Amino acid sequence: MKKFSICFISFFFLFFMSMVNFMMMIYFIMNNMVIFLEWEVITLNSVSVVMSILLDWMSLLFMMFVLLISSVVIYYSKSYMSSELNLNRFIILVLLFVFSMILLIISPNIVSILLGWDGLGLVSYCLVIYYQNFKSYNAGMLTALSNRVGDVFILMVISWMLNYGSWNYIFYLMFMKNDYEMYMISSLIIIAAMTKSAQIPFSSWLPAAMAAPTPVSALVHSSTLVTAGVYLLIRFNLLLIDMLFLKILLLLSGLTMFMAGISANYEFDLKKIIALSTLSQLGLMMSILSMGMPDLAFFHLLTHAMFKALLFMCAGVIIHMMNDTQDIRLMGGISNYIPMTSLCMNISNLALCGIPFLAGFYSKDLILEMVSLSNLNLLIYYIYYLSTGLTMFYTIRLIMYLMVNDYNLMSIYNLYDEDYTMLKSMMVLLFMSVISGSMLSWMIFLNPYMIYLPLNMKMMVVYVSLLGGFIGYFVSNMMIYSMNKFLMTYNISSFLCLMWFMPSLSTYGLNYYFLKLGQNLLKYIDLGWSELYSGQGMYYILKNYSIFYNFYQVNNFKIYLFSFVMWMMILYYFMLMKF
Amino acid sequence: MMKFMFMIIFMIPLCFKKNMFWLVQNLMMLMMFMFMNLNISIYYNTNLSYMFSCDIMSFGLILLSIWICMLMLMASENLLKMGFYVNFFLLNMLFMLLMLYLTFSMMNLFMFYLFFEGSLIPTLLLIVGWGYQPERIQAGMYLLFYTLFASLPLLMGIFYIFNKSNNIMFYFLKFMSFDFYLLYFSMILAFLVKMPMYFVHLWLPKAHVEAPVSGSMILAGIMLKLGGYGLLRILILLEKLSLKLNFIWIIISLVGGFYISLKCFCQVDMKSLIAYSSVCHMGVVIGGIMTLNYWGFMGSYLLMIGHGLCSSGMFCLANINFERLNSRSLYINKGMMNFMPSMSLWWFLLMSSNMAAPPSLNLMGEISLINSLMSWSWLSMIMLMLISFFSAGYSLYLYSYTQHGKYYSGLYSFYTGVSREYLLLMLHWLPLNLMILKVDWVMIWF
């Protein structure tokens, strides 16, 4: 009975579905087939709200990757979360997440995409606040609210698309391209995608979301949720070409890539380093997307999903063994103790750097060569190559800290490499992060890219990678007294290592004003003027008048008598006047 | 139609016997299913008898009121356990159901008004009779006088219409048109106070805070919808002035909705927070109605149904916590996930429906209201975005504050959820989320 735990059943089911999707994808791509299903919810004024499903090779391939990663992640969490009391809740949440991701992938309709889009936000919120501590509380709130911005923009897109009488956006991408409303729609869509994919004004949530359990980070915050924005823009790409906003997106995503690369070098938290590298790769995808090459972005999205999930899973194993310590300064020399995990870690790290013939090489090298080939300004070009160097920089630094130096945590320790549940699930992804690049490049690029570069430009990737790698090596060997030299550049260092102050700005920088406004409104309007001019004010006025009249009525008998006489005299006077 | 009225009336003798609580509840449910089988035409009023009739809108709202009244009985089992004037409570509940049923099924504007006001009495009795703190007297006064203050002009308006045209049947209102400012304001304001619009909403949080769970459920579930129902019926009469003047209410409601959602972040009382969130949602509904377009009318009706189920469920949850901790304060209602993990699921589901997550009716309603408001003026985009964002914010605030983290350490004893409560919440949530599959049933009403 123990064998058929919820983890195993979900693993089996998801893996099976993934393989089915794979077969279907091959069939679809061979026959150039698309299936489009529509189910009408309601028609109002001849506008149909429909739930639609689009199955083409792109959605099937993405689904295959999502299902594969989620299946192994669930299998992995059987061991990783084995001491968790509410394992069922955890697995059900992950399954719900996969479900909403699939709904997002298959729907080409802006109303029905909301089903997946909102679902991702809510379920990922539940997963981030899974642990019951303050850090996860704050991180969850930041994640959910940043993602909610995207939901709101999608809602606004829905209302703008009412102009066209249908929400199946794929029909309007070419046809309505020069329409004014379409400019509005595409800018809103870009902002929505930027929130989900954590581009620059909204990037603070991605490193914060590392408060989630590590399997969640492997599935949600590296390979699937964060790529939802990229995927949406890939679907919308026909619309976006030649737009001004896309140029802005290019700059912002390039800066995201650069910023994340630099911050990762200052970071000492193992999961945060990987999260920042995810952010950097997301910037790469977004930027190549905004240069008008959606297929390259999709390619990198898929290969990146594989090796990044693997990287997170290795990090999870290491964190488990280090008594839940995540600080890389306390790790070191683990390749002597856990060779298999170190192997996976290194392969995924190198695939991230784009070392030839691993998964990352095919996509990243192609992207960078296409960047060199296209007509760009120097700033963007520098940002691309500096970020590539920075990737190598933080990767080598991480490898040095983890694998080479001495073990620093405690004098008594127990590292073991025999957790086969975790290792087996990592093997699947290890295999995929070696082969997926070549496999995909043969499968989805029917006509090859023609690249024509001078030698130095061609070798530029190698130059910056080697340079970054050397710097990373030297930085990891830095002594404490040279670390202290950073104090000389305290301002710029804190600017760079705190992600350009984005986490502070998007939390303390914003919420104070809104909370203060809310408090003032409550104090001055609800408990102030509104009460004064309705309930309480009316009460006081009536009360005072009744006291006032009461004052005249509670008197001596003599005064009544006197006033009676007075009134009689006045009446008599008037009577005399009349006659 | 009349048979249902008599069914309610003949249920009244049951209140005077002992141990009839669950029988009455079951009979209400039976009545709900009987009513569901009524023949309804989309285009016309059907089931005419005397002053009664039923079209899709009144059909949906009657269903909702029977449903909510039934759930109110389920929610207030505590009264039964303590023997706290159960018979009077049942009588009150049946009286309220009768009033609501008559309000929604009347064809005649005056009779509608009569029962619209009549439904205040059982609500007032609920609040001052079964409420918790001494402040409930003031809350009851607020409820009564806010509504009465604005609805006496409505009575005069109805007399004026009858005097001018000798007709106050709803169906014939569409053939008349009045261009008279005073009439416009007197007809509209009563419903706006009932909705409630921002600035005249003060009675609602007070009443909710002081009311027992059944009072809160009926207030959020049905009472607010009376205003929307009245507006949807009456605005066809006032088309000309509506085109000129409706922007006032739209602006007040949208800006007010944003302000209210900010105020929600300052609430520490769960019920008060949920009450403020109702005001925020009703602001969007007022906006949608006042745009006078088709999407707005449909969407406001749909959001009223959705919000009736959703906020009533939220009040149930607040009460479930209150029964265990004897406090509604967020400082004490913390970390409930440790005690009631299954209840936490329901918190999450209802909270997410409250912030209009798919596939709830609220989302569909909000989409159509956003459509209507955006086609009215695209500048309303700013306020709609803020409202939508912050309503997610306060829903998450409520959820995470009550469910996440450590529990209150002064807690002495505790018991987990009972199956009645789970059933109660499921009966709120299921129609809210499953009716999206047949949403035209609760959306297209003319």
Short mmCIF file of all heavy atoms in Angstrom, two decimals, chain B residues 62-79:
data_model
loop_
_atom_site.label_atom_id
_atom_site.label_comp_id
_atom_site.label_asym_id
_atom_site.label_seq_id
_atom_site.Cartn_x
_atom_site.Cartn_y
_atom_site.Cartn_z
N ILE B 62 -35.81 35.40 -6.18
CA ILE B 62 -36.62 34.63 -5.22
C ILE B 62 -35.90 33.34 -4.86
O ILE B 62 -35.84 32.95 -3.69
CB ILE B 62 -38.01 34.34 -5.81
CG1 ILE B 62 -38.82 35.62 -5.87
CG2 ILE B 62 -38.75 33.34 -4.94
CD1 ILE B 62 -40.10 35.47 -6.63
N LEU B 63 -35.35 32.70 -5.88
CA LEU B 63 -34.58 31.49 -5.60
C LEU B 63 -33.47 31.78 -4.61
O LEU B 63 -33.26 31.05 -3.64
CB LEU B 63 -33.95 30.95 -6.88
CG LEU B 63 -34.76 29.99 -7.73
CD1 LEU B 63 -33.91 29.45 -8.82
CD2 LEU B 63 -35.27 28.86 -6.87
N LEU B 64 -32.76 32.90 -4.87
CA LEU B 64 -31.66 33.27 -3.98
C LEU B 64 -32.18 33.51 -2.58
O LEU B 64 -31.56 33.07 -1.60
CB LEU B 64 -30.97 34.51 -4.52
CG LEU B 64 -29.77 34.99 -3.72
CD1 LEU B 64 -28.64 34.01 -3.83
CD2 LEU B 64 -29.33 36.35 -4.18
N SER B 65 -33.35 34.18 -2.46
CA SER B 65 -33.80 34.49 -1.09
C SER B 65 -34.26 33.24 -0.36
O SER B 65 -34.00 33.12 0.84
CB SER B 65 -34.85 35.59 -1.07
OG SER B 65 -35.66 35.54 -2.17
N ILE B 66 -34.91 32.32 -1.08
CA ILE B 66 -35.30 31.09 -0.37
C ILE B 66 -34.05 30.32 0.04
O ILE B 66 -33.94 29.80 1.15
CB ILE B 66 -36.20 30.20 -1.26
CG1 ILE B 66 -37.41 30.98 -1.74
CG2 ILE B 66 -36.67 29.00 -0.48
CD1 ILE B 66 -38.26 30.20 -2.69
N TRP B 67 -33.10 30.30 -0.86
CA TRP B 67 -31.85 29.58 -0.60
C TRP B 67 -31.13 30.15 0.61
O TRP B 67 -30.71 29.44 1.52
CB TRP B 67 -30.99 29.67 -1.86
CG TRP B 67 -29.78 28.81 -1.91
CD1 TRP B 67 -28.50 29.23 -1.94
CD2 TRP B 67 -29.74 27.38 -2.01
NE1 TRP B 67 -27.66 28.16 -2.04
CE2 TRP B 67 -28.39 27.01 -2.08
CE3 TRP B 67 -30.70 26.39 -2.03
CZ2 TRP B 67 -27.98 25.69 -2.17
CZ3 TRP B 67 -30.30 25.08 -2.14
CH2 TRP B 67 -28.96 24.74 -2.19
N ILE B 68 -31.02 31.49 0.61
CA ILE B 68 -30.28 32.13 1.72
C ILE B 68 -31.04 31.95 3.02
O ILE B 68 -30.44 31.69 4.07
CB ILE B 68 -30.05 33.62 1.41
CG1 ILE B 68 -29.13 33.78 0.20
CG2 ILE B 68 -29.43 34.33 2.59
CD1 ILE B 68 -27.72 33.44 0.42
N CYS B 69 -32.38 32.05 2.98
CA CYS B 69 -33.15 31.88 4.23
C CYS B 69 -32.95 30.47 4.77
O CYS B 69 -32.80 30.28 5.98
CB CYS B 69 -34.62 32.13 3.98
SG CYS B 69 -35.01 33.86 3.91
N MET B 70 -32.90 29.51 3.84
CA MET B 70 -32.66 28.14 4.29
C MET B 70 -31.27 28.00 4.92
O MET B 70 -31.11 27.41 5.99
CB MET B 70 -32.78 27.21 3.09
CG MET B 70 -32.61 25.79 3.42
SD MET B 70 -32.07 24.92 2.00
CE MET B 70 -30.36 25.14 1.98
N LEU B 71 -30.30 28.63 4.26
CA LEU B 71 -28.94 28.53 4.79
C LEU B 71 -28.79 29.29 6.10
O LEU B 71 -27.96 28.92 6.94
CB LEU B 71 -27.95 29.06 3.76
CG LEU B 71 -27.85 28.24 2.48
CD1 LEU B 71 -26.91 28.89 1.51
CD2 LEU B 71 -27.38 26.85 2.79
N MET B 72 -29.60 30.34 6.25
CA MET B 72 -29.55 31.08 7.52
C MET B 72 -29.94 30.17 8.67
O MET B 72 -29.33 30.20 9.75
CB MET B 72 -30.51 32.25 7.48
CG MET B 72 -29.97 33.47 6.82
SD MET B 72 -31.29 34.48 6.25
CE MET B 72 -31.95 35.07 7.76
N LEU B 73 -30.97 29.36 8.45
CA LEU B 73 -31.37 28.43 9.51
C LEU B 73 -30.25 27.45 9.79
O LEU B 73 -29.97 27.12 10.95
CB LEU B 73 -32.63 27.68 9.10
CG LEU B 73 -33.89 28.52 9.07
CD1 LEU B 73 -35.08 27.68 8.72
CD2 LEU B 73 -34.10 29.18 10.41
N MET B 74 -29.60 27.00 8.70
CA MET B 74 -28.50 26.06 8.93
C MET B 74 -27.37 26.70 9.69
O MET B 74 -26.69 26.06 10.49
CB MET B 74 -27.95 25.56 7.59
CG MET B 74 -28.74 24.44 6.99
SD MET B 74 -28.03 23.98 5.44
CE MET B 74 -26.70 22.95 5.98
N ALA B 75 -27.14 28.00 9.42
CA ALA B 75 -25.99 28.66 10.03
C ALA B 75 -26.23 28.94 11.50
O ALA B 75 -25.29 29.01 12.28
CB ALA B 75 -25.68 29.95 9.30
N SER B 76 -27.52 29.14 11.88
CA SER B 76 -27.73 29.56 13.27
C SER B 76 -28.18 28.39 14.13
O SER B 76 -29.15 28.50 14.87
CB SER B 76 -28.70 30.73 13.33
OG SER B 76 -29.71 30.55 12.39
N GLU B 77 -27.50 27.30 14.01
CA GLU B 77 -27.82 26.17 14.86
C GLU B 77 -27.51 26.47 16.31
O GLU B 77 -28.08 25.86 17.22
CB GLU B 77 -27.02 24.95 14.41
CG GLU B 77 -27.60 23.65 14.91
CD GLU B 77 -26.54 22.60 15.08
OE1 GLU B 77 -25.36 22.97 15.23
OE2 GLU B 77 -26.87 21.42 15.05
N ASN B 78 -26.62 27.42 16.52
CA ASN B 78 -26.24 27.80 17.87
C ASN B 78 -27.45 28.24 18.69
O ASN B 78 -27.55 27.92 19.87
CB ASN B 78 -25.22 28.92 17.80
CG ASN B 78 -24.08 28.65 18.74
OD1 ASN B 78 -23.88 27.52 19.16
ND2 ASN B 78 -23.34 29.69 19.08
N LEU B 79 -28.36 28.94 18.03
CA LEU B 79 -29.57 29.38 18.72
C LEU B 79 -30.37 28.17 19.19
O LEU B 79 -30.89 28.14 20.30
CB LEU B 79 -30.44 30.21 17.78
CG LEU B 79 -29.87 31.50 17.26
CD1 LEU B 79 -30.89 32.18 16.40
CD2 LEU B 79 -29.54 32.39 18.44
#
